[in-house]
């Protein structure tokens, strides 16, 4: 029986590509390419730093991913532009259906939390900016355990913070690698496919595959 | 003082994109996109499975990466095509300068080895096919330690097999993440840039950045 829902943040509740408008303003015609590579490298660096046991927080990793993406496009990163873009990460748009979905799920009596790679300051800012803070019981960052998802320590802190066994928690993510890690870990899992979803070939099938966060309301009722 | 050289295999000695001709034959017009995504997912799955402690050998991971890439291109993978493409991985072309470089380095008295994510059977086949077996003292696979690079255990077995401290080994890789891991580990490192090299933003600078394997001959003399 599901008692709580843990949501991934970046990509799942928040649209990481909502930085595109500012990218387009600063680097006209290249926002799409930069945004995609920025996200790709941000994720790669979390996996690689976790594997190398060379933790840096997600704020520093997000900046490194941006710098890689800019250089890749032949752009010499100007510090003022980099800081403007980083500041945008603190006010990412929530996905359009996020507030409606979380409001309904909370009203149904479920405990709601975030499980994220983000550093506490980043998460606090983006959650408040989106007005999600009153809906969430806990915002659980990997920062205290100094690894990133899908390392098991990143999931241990979710069960510990919620004081529930993994099987009583529905773990919701749009990121295929995160759904795979959470499924192997023992959570009940829901993968948010949205439009472009392709399942990862990692041998773990999520319990549920749905398109939007609002589909969770039917799923848990 | 450098006593031995450890070479990464895939991308460094062997051209992972030499599968393109067969891809083009089977899926005309889509070889480039499939080849790039195949390689990308192959690497991602090594990092993710190492982090999740869900080891599968590199042969199985290479197949999963291929299947992801084919599905991404809207192709339903036919088992016969998949097996033909997998077989091609056992006869990847060595990079054009590889044999000349390794022959000269061996003649200069250095001990030569491979350090690879590959499974032992894959490595044995590709090394023999390229005629590199007589030049190498050891082909060191991560398989016995059941993780992938850049986890430190993947590098421990290099120093253990060669019975040398890391600082006496020149670690050579074209893969930025591998050079970063090897540099943090304590090897002297050389990054093979070839044409398209962009350094990773992982905070570790290799001791040497060169274009071709043959540039190593001057470097160690």
């Amino acid at each position: 029986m599901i008692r709580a829902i843990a949501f991934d943040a970046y990509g799942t509740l928040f649209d990481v590509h909502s930085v595109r408008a500012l990218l387009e303003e600063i680097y006209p015609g290249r926002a799409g390419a930069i945004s995609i590579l920025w996200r790709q490298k941000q994720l790669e660096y979390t996996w690689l730093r976790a594997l190398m046991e060379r933790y840096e927080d997600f704020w520093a990793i997000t900046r490194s991913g941006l710098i890689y993406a800019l250089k890749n496009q032949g752009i010499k990163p100007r510090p003022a532009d980099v800081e403007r873009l980083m500041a945008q990460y603190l006010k990412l748009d929530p996905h359009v259906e996020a507030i409606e979905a979380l409001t309904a799920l909370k009203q149904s009596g479920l405990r709601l939390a975030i499980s994220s790679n983000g550093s506490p300051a980043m998460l606090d800012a983006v959650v408040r900016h989106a007005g999600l803070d009153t809906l969430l019981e806990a915002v659980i960052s990997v920062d205290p355990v100094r690894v990133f998802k899908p390392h098991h320590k990143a999931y241990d802190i979710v069960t510990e913070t919620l004081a529930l066994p993994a099987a009583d928690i529905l773990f919701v993510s749009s990121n295929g690698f995160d759904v795979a890690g959470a499924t192997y870990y023992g959570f009940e899992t829901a993968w948010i496919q949205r439009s472009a979803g392709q399942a990862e070939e990692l041998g773990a099938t999520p319990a549920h595959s749905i398109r939007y966060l609002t589909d969770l309301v039917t799923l848990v009722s």
Side-chain angles (χ1 to χ4, degrees), chain A:
Chain A
M1 161 124 185
I2 296 303
R3 310 272 296 279
I5 307 183
F7 295 91
D8 170 55
Y10 300 106
T12 303
L13 296 181
F14 303 103
D15 181 0
V16 293
H17 297 296
S18 56
V19 292
R20 281 194 196 187
L22 182 58
L23 281 169
E24 186 63 32
E25 183 190 323
I26 306 178
Y27 312 109
R30 286 187 283 189
I34 295 169
S35 179
I36 289 167
L37 192 55
W38 182 2
R39 173 64 171 164
Q40 172 70 30
K41 284 291 159 178
Q42 179 195 49
L43 289 175
E44 284 188 13
Y45 292 169
T46 61
W47 305 329
L48 290 167
R49 284 195 170 270
L51 269 181
M52 296 190 296
E53 298 173 44
R54 296 273 171 175
Y55 181 78
E56 272 197 334
D57 75 15
F58 198 62
W59 183 250
I61 279 181
T62 299
R63 182 186 280 111
S64 297
L66 172 58
I67 288 173
Y68 183 98
L70 293 175
K71 288 182 180 172
N72 182 270
Q73 292 292 304
I75 296 163
K76 189 168 151 41
R78 290 182 53 227
D81 293 336
V82 169
E83 295 319 310
R84 251 181 103 193
L85 287 160
M86 288 297 297
Q88 205 64 13
Y89 235 84
L90 304 178
K91 37 189 177 177
L92 294 174
D93 295 333
H95 279 290
V96 286
E97 83 281 21
I99 288 170
E100 178 188 335
L102 269 64
T103 302
L105 292 165
K106 187 180 165 72
Q107 282 171 352
S108 76
L110 287 161
R111 300 165 60 195
L112 308 184
I114 277 179
S115 152
S116 173
N117 278 340
S119 60
M122 290 174 79
L123 289 169
D124 185 60
V126 78
V127 164
R128 282 176 195 275
H129 182 265
L132 293 179
D133 47 317
T134 57
L135 297 168
L136 295 163
E137 170 185 324
V139 177
I140 305 164
S141 162
V142 300
D143 196 62
V145 291
R146 298 175 67 80
V147 293
F148 294 102
K149 298 192 269 186
H151 191 287
H152 71 85
K153 286 185 187 172
Y155 301 122
D156 287 340
I157 51 174
V158 176
T159 56
E160 289 164 11
T161 304
L162 296 175
L164 288 173
D168 291 2
I169 299 170
L170 179 63
F171 194 101
V172 178
S173 182
S174 64
N175 293 296
F177 76 91
D178 190 18
V179 168
T183 302
Y184 277 131
Y185 188 83
F187 292 111
E188 184 159 333
T189 49
W191 175 43
I192 306 293
Q193 294 183 276
R194 296 218 162 78
S195 54
Q198 180 182 355
E200 297 292 354
E201 301 289 333
L202 283 166
T205 306
H208 313 281
S209 293
I210 57 183
R211 288 202 70 168
Y212 299 109
L213 293 166
T214 34
D215 297 334
L216 291 167
V217 182
T218 323
L219 196 151
V220 298
S221 68

